[in-house]
Every structure is written in C-alpha cells, then in structure tokens.
Amino acid sequence: MDGIVPGGVAAGTTAVGLAYGRVGLTVELPADRTTVITPASEPAVPDEAGTLRQALRNPVAGPPLRSLVRAGQSVAISLCDVTRPQPREAMVRAILDELDGITRPEDVTLLVATGTHRACTDEEIRGMLGGELAASLRVVNHDARDPATLRWCGYHGDAVPVWLNTLWVSADVRITTGFVEPHFFAGFSGGPKMVAPGLAGLETVLTLHDAKRIGSPRATWGICAGNPVHDDVRAIAAATGVDFSLDVALNRDKDIVAAFAGELLAMHAAARDFVRVSAMRPVRSLFDVVVTTNSGYPLDQNLYQAVKGMSAAAEVVKPGGLIICAAECADGFPDHGSFRDVLASAPTPAGLLASIAARTRTVPDQWQVQVLARVLNRARVGAHTATLSDADLRSAHLFGVPDIAAAVEAELASAGPGAQVCVLPEGPQTIPYLEESAGRT
C-alpha cells in the first residue's frame, strides 16, 4: 500500500539528529523501538597536514611521491567534484608542498573528475580549493561529452571502450586524489574511480554503468572483487596508468581520520579495509521502517544523489516495509539531465527495470533510476525534502513525508506492537547489512 497509514505509538521518545542540508534535522522517535546505526566514532587527526605528508612519504606500496617526479614534468591531479566532501585544498597543498622545488605551479593541472556530472562553477571551485589555489593553478572541469578533449585508449576490462581526458593521458605524472566510502553499486568510492568514470568519456561511462553490470547482485555496497563495475574500473586504471594516489577516510564531520597513499590498487585496498570496519554494520534482523539521509550537504543537494541513502536503507528494510529519506534536495531532481524524465517513463518500478533492461544504449541518469527501481520493488519510499512537492515525488514513484516522526509513528502502529525502526543518521556513510549476508570484500 502506498503512503502512510495513520495510527499511534506509546509515549517515550528519543531525539535523533539527522544529517540534512547544512544544519541538520532532529526527529523524536519511540525509544523502545528505535535502533540507530552510525559510523564508528573516529576522531579527526590532530595534524591534518602532517598526516597527509606522512602518507606521501611512507606509502602503502611503491616509492614516495617526491621520488617519482622530475623537474619540468607536467603533473595532472584528479579530484572530486562539488557533490563530494573531499578535503581538496588540504590534499592538493600537501602534494604541492611535497613537490616544492621540483614542480612549478605552471606544471600542474587540476582535473575535476566530474564523470557525467555538470561542470563546477568558478564559485564552487573557489570553495573547493580556496581562493589562492583556484587562482594560481590551472583547474579544468572534465567534460565527458566533448570528443575534442578525449583520447582513445583501447578496450580494457570486459570489452569496455576507453576514452579518457587528454590532459590526463598526456601528463608526465598522473596523481589521483579522493576519499573512500562504501558505494551503492561500485563497492567503494575513491581510488581507480578517479580515472574512470571520473575522467572518462561518455561512451566509457555508459558501458561501465550499463544495466547488466549494475544489475549484478555483486554490484552493491562494500563489494569490489567480483563486482563487474569495480572489476572494470580497476582494469582501466591499471591498463592506462596512474603514477601515484592519495585517498583519505573521513568521519561524520567530514574531517580526515586516516590517509593512504602510494601505488593505486594497493593503496585503495588498504583504505577499503580501514573504511569497511568503521562504515559497515551488521544487524541481526530486518526492520519495518528505516529512516535514512544522504549524509547532508553537499551529498543531499538533489534527489538523484539521495538514491544512495535509499539504497543503504534497502539493505535492512523488510520486504514491503517503509523507507523514509531526509534529503534537502536544494537542487531539486535536479532540473538538468534526464533523471526525472527516466523515472516518469514507466508506470511502475517493475516497468522501469524492464524498460532499462531492454535498452540497447544506456543514458547517464538510468543508473540511479535502476537502483531506485530495485529499492522500490522491495519497499515503499517517502522523502522529506525542502524543495520537492508530494506531486513531484509521486511522479518519481515516491511520496512526500512532511513530518518524519508522525510518519514513523503511523507506520509502526500499522505494523503492530513488535514493529521496529532503524535510523541511519549519516545515510550511506554507514552501510548496515544482515549478519547472514556477511563476507563482503
């Protein structure tokens, strides 16, 4: 049944803070029926610059960064776009400081690894890097749709046609930077994803994210080995070459808690092991209701990104249960791209999946639609947003939840006295999973 069924729950509540937009949101939920799952409480490193410096000088594998670069060489550094909370300024400064006396500012190009996302604005780039770095370095938004900026690199992985950013491929030294967290169909973010899809052409990204790959049961949170998406991502990075990589792990305040550097694949494996312990939580049973977020700003800027929080919730919701996602969605669906149109292209989630499976060519916004349709086939999904109306959301097979606490109360009353609610205050920063499905690698 769609929507929320009215009802009542016994008194006795607990206040739960949700990551929502820039300022957060607090909801009152029944104390005796609520399980809150958060990442391990990791303190920020006391010396951010020192931690990054040590990682660059003592890599997980391979030689230290400074020994890899010679004077006069061009250096390309890939970094996350504005939808990711990467501490870009600190990471880029650490790299430049380590290469001081070898590399000049004019030798460096910062490539914003947008994948198929929109370009970051000048204002956003200043916010990402700080005014000084943004003004003194060449910063280029990758454009997956501009053939003039791409170079053919052959077929790699499972017959993936690989086009990569020309500035990246032609650089003498290529350095990836990013942060590692569980990813809803690629296993984990960071590492090789900063090459492809981050700096890849549209045809490459569409192949990596086709319906068959994303539809695999192993294309999910926390799984890399045997995940057809991540297997090909690793293959592309290995075949086309990365000279050095720097990734960080972040806590709920987006502070650095650990840094990893060195040879790309070994570094990323070490970072994944660290993050898996802090960001994945086993549970003993499924829940009638799961309240989730998309980790607040900048990750909850639109409904497209909020699918990740919904997908995390789907891991532990009962079939036919209720998921409520609190995501500010200041950027709406968003308006650019085809996400809204693809969602509205079929009358049911099952119809969406069938339509996607029948396509001979994917479209970028299909990926999130495919994941969302799988979630909707399992549970009802409501959204609490600042911008989207109930009518907007219903056009996307969702519905509006203006009052989260009242919605939870009603659903628990409908489900019966033993009903339970799970809360993921940080959304996909913590991925719950049923204990019997343990063993993710």
Side-chain angles (χ1 to χ4, degrees):
M1 180 170 57
D2 192 15
I4 304 296
V5 179
V9 171
T13 62
T14 183
V16 182
L18 304 179
Y20 178 83
R22 295 177 186 269
V23 299
L25 184 69
T26 299
V27 296
E28 297 281 342
L29 299 174
D32 60 340
R33 300 197 191 187
T34 300
T35 298
V36 180
I37 299 179
T38 60
S41 180
E42 298 284 350
V45 295
D47 179 3
E48 189 177 79
T51 297
L52 294 169
R53 181 173 59 251
Q54 286 303 310
L56 298 174
R57 295 180 180 180
N58 299 282
V60 171
L65 175 62
R66 192 172 174 86
S67 69
L68 291 172
V69 185
R70 299 189 306 275
Q73 288 186 311
S74 59
V75 177
I77 303 173
S78 70
L79 49 99
C80 301
D81 72 6
V82 74
T83 65
R84 304 293 189 269
Q86 179 193 4
R88 305 166 193 82
E89 182 176 5
M91 296 177 76
V92 171
R93 284 192 181 281
I95 290 171
L96 296 179
D97 288 347
E98 195 63 13
L99 297 180
D100 185 43
I102 300 176
T103 300
R104 303 166 301 173
E106 56 265 36
D107 297 326
V108 177
T109 300
L110 302 184
L111 291 170
V112 183
T114 56
T116 60
H117 297 174
R118 66 167 175 83
C120 297
T121 66
D122 291 344
E123 181 181 359
E124 287 170 337
I125 288 173
R126 286 191 294 272
M128 291 157 55
L129 292 166
E132 181 185 347
L133 287 182
S136 62
L137 298 175
R138 182 187 187 191
V139 184
V140 178
N141 282 299
H142 170 66
D143 186 349
R145 295 169 176 81
D146 183 0
T149 67
L150 303 172
R151 180 175 297 180
W152 172 246
C153 297
Y155 289 90
H156 300 291
D158 185 10
V160 180
V162 179
W163 296 86
L164 294 179
N165 187 287
T166 297
L167 295 174
W168 173 258
V169 174
S170 62
D172 297 318
V173 180
R174 287 169 272 183
I175 302 170
T176 67
T177 71
F179 77 103
V180 179
E181 65 177 350
H183 188 279
F184 68 133
F185 62 75
F188 283 91
S189 67
K193 285 184 88 267
M194 299 307 299
V195 178
L199 297 175
L202 182 60
E203 183 181 4
T204 305
V205 182
L206 294 181
T207 303
L208 283 172
H209 294 171
D210 67 15
K212 181 179 179 181
R213 286 174 174 82
I214 292 179
S216 167
R218 290 191 66 80
T220 190
W221 301 101
I223 295 178
C224 289
N227 178 334
V229 177
H230 207 276
D231 285 349
D232 283 343
V233 166
R234 294 195 311 277
I236 291 169
T240 58
V242 175
D243 296 290
F244 197 85
S245 296
L246 174 63
D247 275 346
V248 295
L250 306 176
N251 62 16
R252 64 181 297 167
D253 297 319
K254 312 301 188 288
D255 295 321
I256 296 173
V257 299
F260 306 84
E263 187 277 324
L264 173 64
L265 298 185
M267 176 283 301
H268 195 240
R272 295 197 312 262
D273 287 344
F274 178 91
V275 172
R276 185 179 289 110
V277 172
S278 63
M280 301 191 74
R281 290 283 180 270
V283 299
R284 294 182 179 180
S285 59
L286 301 176
F287 295 86
D288 301 271
V289 188
V290 182
V291 177
T292 186
T293 74
N294 210 51
S295 306
Y297 183 87
L299 300 178
D300 72 345
Q301 292 183 79
N302 54 57
L303 193 67
Y304 175 90
Q305 293 295 337
V307 170
K308 298 173 183 177
M310 300 171 193
S311 176
E315 294 289 302
V316 292
V317 72
K318 288 182 178 179
L322 174 65
I323 293 170
I324 300 172
C325 182
E328 188 177 48
C329 297
D331 197 23
F333 274 89
D335 291 335
H336 63 271
S338 61
F339 179 60
R340 184 173 190 170
D341 292 338
V342 176
L343 273 173
S345 66
T348 65
L352 282 172
L353 288 174
S355 174
I356 289 169
R359 291 175 184 262
T360 56
R361 180 173 175 80
T362 60
V363 296
D365 293 329
Q366 163 197 305
W367 317 320
Q368 243 90 339
V369 171
Q370 185 174 359
V371 173
L372 178 55
R374 283 163 49 181
V375 172
L376 289 165
N377 269 348
R378 180 175 182 84
R380 293 165 293 135
V381 182
H384 177 90
T385 82
T387 60
L388 300 172
S389 68
D390 183 68
D392 289 331
L393 292 165
R394 287 186 182 275
S395 73
H397 309 281
L398 310 172
F399 54 89
V401 180
D403 187 327
I404 296 173
V408 171
E409 179 181 352
E411 186 69 16
L412 292 180
S414 175
Q420 297 287 315
V421 57
C422 173
V423 186
L424 307 177
E426 301 296 321
Q429 299 296 330
T430 313
I431 306 304
Y433 60 93
L434 202 58
E435 279 185 325
E436 64 188 41
S437 66
R440 302 185 178 212
T441 60

